Amino acid sequence: GQYATEPVIAALLSALKNRESIIRSAAAQALGYLGSKAATEPVIEALLSVFKSDRDVRQAAAEALGHLG
């Protein structure tokens, strides 16, 4: 979309590594809604990194991947 500019995607990808799970969840959701295929691999990495420990981020990352196709 019109908001999926390079600086926006870069900021959201950086937010996937934030200490706060709510920030990581929101970033994953936003990346999914923006539909940037460049975000697919980082979202998968976020999903794998919290697979056992953070249900909210895991759910947001899985939903984002569904949006990314």
Side-chain angles (χ1 to χ4, degrees):
Q2 66 183 1
Y3 300 107
T5 63
E6 200 169 306
V8 170
I9 299 298
L12 290 170
L13 292 175
S14 177
L16 284 176
K17 298 175 184 168
N18 192 286
R19 286 183 34 207
E20 299 293 328
S21 66
I22 194 162
I23 301 295
R24 294 190 311 267
S25 294
Q29 287 176 335
L31 287 164
Y33 290 124
L34 289 175
S36 173
K37 297 292 183 189
T40 302
E41 193 66 33
V43 170
I44 290 171
E45 289 173 15
L47 179 61
L48 293 174
S49 73
V50 296
F51 191 73
K52 294 181 181 176
S53 63
D54 196 325
R55 192 189 95 223
D56 293 335
V57 177
R58 184 174 60 236
Q59 182 177 348
E63 289 174 9
L65 289 174
H67 290 288
L68 292 171

